[in-house]
Each structure stands twice: as structure tokens, then as C-alpha cells.
């Protein structure tokens, strides 16, 4: 089934809507590889049989309750070394929309949608195809827990569990696509520093003295991110460390 | 004599019925034989090796007593380099097969590895077609910007 968004410029003019697929990111990347992908195309599925999270992890989502979709973009204005700015734009767009529905939501570095006490309600999986000219295509996979009530694992939640309300998923989807387009255009038109500042302000545990572990436990404060997106944590003794993904654990 | 001229000469000779041609001038000596398993051309005025992929093969003039295939030169190989800082992965997932292994032929645009940085995943495409000669980085280890990842033999 094909759907269409009227109130956007280029995003979602071609939406492939499926009742079931293996993984929307895999489908999107297959279209990229087959050279039939267009910027702004979206693949959305009610159910993923092999939904993926970060490397080797599954993305579990109850069929028909949530949003799982992938967007195809061509950020040819970004060097591969600048790709964290894409992550910032996407994370921030989703956070802004969800923040209208529930209190206490943050972006947990680098790109989880996270509630301060209830845990994770969404994730982002960005996969780029890099050719000789740099980033050829970017596939932005987004999984958000909307109306799901029960979770098999702890530390996961949904908009329903946070607000007690059921949502029209298509309406949420439309708002997300508009926000994503706006942030993407802002990124393209030189708004990087503004986006970075907003992202940092909305980071989970930003500026708070919290426990972390980088081989040993310590107390520290998140003070920002580096150009390449590493997390900067200032330890109690004043030293500032830069961490890549999996180099530091939130305790 | 330039590599391109030698190539053109070989192309010309391959279209004739000749099995062997020897040319000698003041500048160079060139001997070309239709042996399928020798692949190196050498002329006296040029110390560099020119690899050619052509049905007609030339035996090395400088070493006429040893017409066996000459060992391939590494300086003809092309490096696939990392476009960014990150972690190098040879597989799409921890339990899947490597994208490429030594000896595989790749075509330009084919994914050869993944570089992950800050949970963003980058499928790196080979810029050239050829044969993977060497994998230069261990799976799941850090790589620097511009670090060579693979050696590709464009004539392979």
C-alpha cells in the first residue's frame, strides 16, 4: 500500500506501507543498493520479523502497536566525518515531537529516546552507504513504542505507559516526518551549531552529578560532545574524558 | 616507451596470428609471447613493471632465461581507506560471513566492510574493481581516518 504526505516538501512523498517485512532498514538499504532509492522515500511496517537494533541486537516491537519505519536521505552536504550532526538532527526532531506527549523524556547519548525513570521508548539506527564521493545514501531507521502496554524486558516503556493515552499512530507519524524534514533542512542550511546546542541541552543526565563506569566506577557530569560526537564527562577531580560508544556505561 | 604504447602494441599483435614477436630498437627490447600464464611486460628503458590483462602475454626481456611468471608487484595495488575514525567490522552482523575475504573479486560500489562510530554504521564501498589481496585490519578493532583497510589488485 502506498501513502502520501501532503504537508512536507520532499519527505514522505513516496511511502511504502507494509503489514510485515523482515526489517525496514534492510529493505531501504536493498533499494539503495539496487539504485531504485529516492531521497525522501519512507518504508513503514506494522511488523518486523527481523527488526534490528545496534549491531547484533534485535528491535522488539509488538505488531500493530508502535511505529517502525526507515527514511532514505542523501546528505551529500555532509562529509563522513560530520555524520554525527545527522544523528543530532534526527534525535532532536523525534525528541521534540514526543516531548509534547509525555514529560521527562530525554535523548540518551548517542540516540535513544529515554524517559528519566521509565527507560527507553525509542531507538534510532542510522546506516550510511559510503562511496568514493562520501555519503551516498543515509538510511534512518526509527523505532518508537507508542501504544504497547506490556514489555518482556525491563527498562522499556511506551508513550501509552507514560501518559495513559492511546495515540493515533498515523498522526504521530505525520508530525515526526514534518519535524524530521525541518531539522534536516536546518542542518543543510547551516544550523549545525544551533542543533548541537539544543541536542546537548536535552541530553539525559546533562550537567547532573551521576555514576558512570569506564573500567572503574566514578561520579561525573556530562558537559557536552566533541565534534565527532564523543561524550564529554567531567569527573569529580576535574579531568574531562571523551568517550566513544560502549566506552562508558551509565549506572 | 610508455605503458599505453606497449598495451596498444600488444592489442595489435594479439589481433594477428603471430605466436611470438621480438622488437629491438636503440631504446628498448621487447619480446611478446602468447603464453597464457605470464603477465609481465618489461622494457629496458623503464625499470617499472606494467601489469597488463590481455590474452597476449609478454615474457620479460631482461631475464630471457626465466620466462616463468614474475612475482606480482605490490605497488600496483590500490588501497581501500577508511573515510573516518571508527571501529572496523568485516561482517554485517556478528554471526554473518565477512563481506569479502582474500581472493574474492569485488566490483566498484560493492560493500567491503562496516565502520561504526558513535552507533552510526557506515557500509564502505570499494572504489575500484579487482581482487582482494590483503585485509589490513583485524575485525572489531579501531581505525583512524585514511587508514588503509584492504589491498585490491585492479588487474586481479
Amino acid at each position: 500500500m502506498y501513502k502520501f504526505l501532503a504537508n512536507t516538501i520532499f519527505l514522505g512523498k513516496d511511502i511504502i506501507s507494509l503489514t510485515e517485512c523482515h526489517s525496514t532498514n534492510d529493505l531501504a538499504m536493498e533499494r539503495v543498493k539496487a539504485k531504485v532509492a529516492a531521497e525522501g522515500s519512507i518504508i513503514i511496517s506494522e511488523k518486523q520479523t527481523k527488526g534490528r537494533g545496534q549491531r547484533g541486537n534485535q528491535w522488539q516491537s509488538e505488531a500493530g502497536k508502535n511505529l517502525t519505519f526507515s527514511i532514505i536521505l542523501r546528505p551529500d552536504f555532509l562529509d563522513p566525518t560530520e555524520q554525527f550532526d545527522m544523528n543530532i538532527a534526527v534525535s532532536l526532531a523525534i525528541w521534540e515531537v514526543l516531548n509534547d506527549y509525555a514529560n521527562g523524556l530525554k535523548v540518551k547519548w548517542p540516540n535513544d529516546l529515554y524517559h528519566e525513570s521509565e527507560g527507553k521508548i525509542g531507538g534510532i539506527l542510522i546506516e550510511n552507504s559510503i562511496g568514493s564521493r562520501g555519503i551516498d545514501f543515509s538510511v534512518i531507521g526509527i523505532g518508537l513504542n507508542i501504544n504497547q502496554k506490556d514489555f518482556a524486558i525491563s527498562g522499556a516503556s511506551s508513550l501509552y505507559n507514560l501518559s495513559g493515552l492511546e495515540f493515533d499512530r498515523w498522526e504521530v507519524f505525520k508530525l515526526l516526518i514534518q519535524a524530521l524534514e525541518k531539522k534536516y533542512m536546518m542542518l543543510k542550511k547551516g544550523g549545525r551549531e544551533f542543533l548541537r546546542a539544543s541536542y546537548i541541552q536535552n541530553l539525559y543526565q546533562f550537567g547532573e552529578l551521576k555514576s558512570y563506569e569506564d573500567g572503574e566506577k566514578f561520579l561525573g557530569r556530562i558537559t557536552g560532545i566533541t565534534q565527532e560526537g564523543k561524550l564529554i564527562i567531567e569527573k569529580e577531580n576535574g579531568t574531562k574524558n571523551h568517550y566513544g560508544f560502549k566506552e562508558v556505561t551509565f549506572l | 616507451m610508455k605503458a599505453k604504447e606497449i598495451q596498444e602494441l600488444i592489442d595489435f599483435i594479439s589481433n594477428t596470428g603471430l605466436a611470438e614477436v621480438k622488437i629491438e630498437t636503440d631504446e628498448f627490447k621487447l619480446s611478446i609471447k602468447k603464453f597464457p600464464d605470464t603477465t609481465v611486460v618489461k622494457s629496458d628503458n623503464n625499470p617499472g613493471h606494467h601489469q597488463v590483462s590481455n590474452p597476449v602475454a609478454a615474457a620479460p626481456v631482461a631475464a630471457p632465461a626465466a620466462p616463468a611468471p614474475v612475482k606480482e608487484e605490490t605497488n600496483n595495488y590500490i588501497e581501500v581507506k577508511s573515510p573516518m575514525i571508527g571501529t572496523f567490522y568485516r561482517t554485517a552482523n556478528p554471526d554473518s560471513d565477512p563481506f569479502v575475504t582474500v581472493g574474492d573479486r569485488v566490483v566498484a560500489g560493492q560493500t567491503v566492510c562496516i565502520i561504526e562510530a558513535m552507533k552510526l554504521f557506515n557500509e564502505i564501498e570499494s572504489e575500484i574493481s579487482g581482487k582482494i589481496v590483503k585485509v589490513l585490519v583485524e575485525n572489531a578493532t579501531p581505525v583512524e581516518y585514511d587508514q588503509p583497510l584492504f589491498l585490491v589488485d585492479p588487474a586481479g
Side-chain angles (χ1 to χ4, degrees), chain A residues 29 33 54-56 80-81 83-84 87 109-112 124-132 228-230 244-245, chain B residues 83-85 89-94 109-111 114-127 139 145:
Chain A
M29 200 49 99
K33 297 289 173 193
Q54 54 163 300
R55 191 173 172 79
T81 59
Q83 60 182 274
F84 199 78
N87 178 62
W109 179 87
N111 55 20
D112 280 344
I124 299 164
L125 177 61
I126 298 181
E127 296 182 294
N128 300 314
S129 166
I130 310 263
S132 51
E228 56 171 320
K230 285 189 172 182
F245 186 55
Chain B
M84 53 190 284
I85 299 168
Y89 291 107
R90 290 186 60 190
T91 63
N93 288 297
Q110 185 177 335
T111 300
I114 284 176
I115 307 282
E116 178 266 330
M118 259 47 80
K119 215 174 134 187
L120 311 179
F121 297 86
N122 296 273
E123 295 196 356
I124 310 300
E125 296 175 352
S126 175
E127 291 177 26
N139 185 50
Y145 175 76

Side-chain angles (χ1 to χ4, degrees), chain B:
Chain B
M1 195 173 188
K2 290 174 185 168
K4 192 169 182 300
E5 292 170 335
I6 296 172
Q7 180 76 57
E8 284 168 3
L9 188 61
I10 292 170
D11 286 344
F12 175 73
I13 293 165
S14 70
N15 290 327
T16 69
L18 300 170
E20 183 174 353
V21 173
K22 286 182 182 174
I23 300 169
E24 191 171 339
T25 71
D26 292 343
E27 289 179 300
F28 66 91
K29 286 183 195 171
L30 189 66
S31 165
I32 298 173
K33 290 180 185 175
K34 274 192 182 175
F35 289 158
D37 51 359
T38 52
T39 59
V40 172
V41 178
K42 205 172 190 180
S43 63
D44 282 357
N45 68 334
N46 188 343
H49 292 206
H50 299 285
Q51 287 196 322
V52 290
S53 55
N54 196 285
V56 175
V61 180
V70 174
K71 206 171 184 297
E72 290 169 304
E73 292 278 315
T74 54
N75 57 10
N76 287 326
Y77 298 158
I78 293 171
E79 291 170 337
V80 177
K81 293 179 177 178
S82 179
M84 53 190 284
I85 299 168
T87 305
F88 171 83
Y89 291 107
R90 290 186 60 190
T91 63
N93 288 297
D95 53 354
S96 52
D97 291 332
F99 289 108
V100 291
T101 53
V102 169
D104 284 357
R105 270 199 58 80
V106 294
V107 293
Q110 185 177 335
T111 300
V112 290
C113 65
I114 284 176
I115 307 282
E116 178 266 330
M118 259 47 80
K119 215 174 134 187
L120 311 179
F121 297 86
N122 296 273
E123 295 196 356
I124 310 300
E125 296 175 352
S126 175
E127 291 177 26
I128 38 132
S129 299
K131 192 170 79 179
I132 300 287
V133 177
K134 200 169 184 185
V135 182
L136 301 166
V137 182
E138 282 286 311
N139 185 50
T141 57
V143 289
E144 293 299 320
Y145 175 76
D146 224 25
Q147 182 176 338
L149 307 172
F150 296 92
L151 277 184
V152 178
D153 179 0

Side-chain angles (χ1 to χ4, degrees), chain A residues 3-8 11-12 15 42 44 67 69 97 101 168-181:
Chain A
K3 287 182 179 173
F4 178 84
L5 284 183
N7 44 7
T8 54
L11 207 51
I15 301 176
I42 300 176
I44 181 165
L67 285 172
F69 59 98
V97 172
Y101 295 115
D168 179 333
R169 290 177 297 138
W170 179 246
E171 289 304 315
V172 178
F173 174 75
K174 281 197 288 190
L175 290 171
L176 286 166
I177 300 307
Q178 286 172 47
L180 284 161
E181 182 178 82

Side-chain angles (χ1 to χ4, degrees), chain A residues 10-249:
Chain A
F10 75 97
L11 207 51
K13 297 300 174 190
D14 166 36
I15 301 176
I16 302 170
S17 179
L18 306 167
T19 51
E20 181 177 323
C21 74
H22 46 299
S23 147
T24 57
N25 257 43
D26 284 351
L27 262 182
M29 200 49 99
E30 283 165 24
R31 293 178 73 81
V32 166
K33 297 289 173 193
K35 304 203 185 300
V36 295
E39 178 164 64
S41 290
I42 300 176
I43 297 167
I44 181 165
S45 186
E46 289 289 319
K47 181 184 176 185
Q48 293 186 112
T49 54
K50 285 187 178 172
R52 291 187 293 115
Q54 54 163 300
R55 191 173 172 79
N57 287 10
Q58 288 182 332
W59 181 259
Q60 292 177 347
S61 179
E62 191 179 333
K65 296 279 186 184
N66 301 313
L67 285 172
T68 48
F69 59 98
S70 297
I71 297 172
I72 297 172
L73 294 173
R74 293 202 88 159
D76 51 9
F77 55 92
L78 276 185
D79 187 80
T81 59
E82 301 170 322
Q83 60 182 274
F84 199 78
D85 285 316
M86 172 67 95
N87 178 62
I88 286 173
V90 171
S91 303
L92 206 51
I94 298 169
W95 175 83
E96 276 189 7
V97 172
L98 300 186
N99 191 49
D100 283 344
Y101 295 115
N103 294 321
L105 284 174
K106 294 284 180 183
V107 176
K108 187 178 175 190
W109 179 87
N111 55 20
D112 280 344
L113 280 304
Y114 204 81
H115 187 268
E116 288 167 336
S117 59
E118 301 305 308
K120 184 167 171 175
I121 72 157
I124 299 164
L125 177 61
I126 298 181
E127 296 182 294
N128 300 314
S129 166
I130 310 263
S132 51
R133 289 172 295 110
I135 301 178
D136 197 16
F137 277 97
S138 203
V139 172
I140 316 287
I142 296 167
L144 298 175
N145 299 333
I146 309 292
N147 293 327
Q148 185 171 341
K149 296 181 175 71
D150 303 308
F151 292 89
I153 50 167
S154 65
S157 191
S158 64
L159 275 191
Y160 176 85
N161 284 359
L162 295 179
S163 66
L165 300 170
E166 283 214 21
F167 291 89
D168 179 333
R169 290 177 297 138
W170 179 246
E171 289 304 315
V172 178
F173 174 75
K174 281 197 288 190
L175 290 171
L176 286 166
I177 300 307
Q178 286 172 47
L180 284 161
E181 182 178 82
K182 207 171 147 189
K183 289 287 181 286
Y184 182 67
M185 297 302 279
M186 193 183 279
L187 176 64
K188 197 171 185 171
K189 290 179 176 171
R192 289 185 201 188
E193 291 311 314
F194 178 79
L195 290 168
R196 276 188 171 247
S198 308
Y199 172 86
I200 291 164
Q201 287 299 316
N202 291 302
L203 276 182
Y204 174 61
Q205 294 188 357
F206 172 73
E208 299 168 29
L209 191 65
K210 293 286 180 181
S211 298
Y212 298 92
E213 196 245 291
D214 61 359
E216 55 183 35
K217 290 181 183 177
F218 67 94
L219 281 170
R221 292 177 205 275
I222 293 172
T223 61
I225 54 166
T226 67
Q227 196 58 39
E228 56 171 320
K230 285 189 172 182
L231 190 66
I232 305 171
I233 303 181
E234 184 175 347
K235 294 191 175 184
E236 274 191 304
N237 63 12
T239 60
K240 284 189 176 182
N241 285 15
H242 299 178
Y243 297 99
F245 186 55
K246 287 188 176 169
E247 289 174 357
V248 65
T249 310

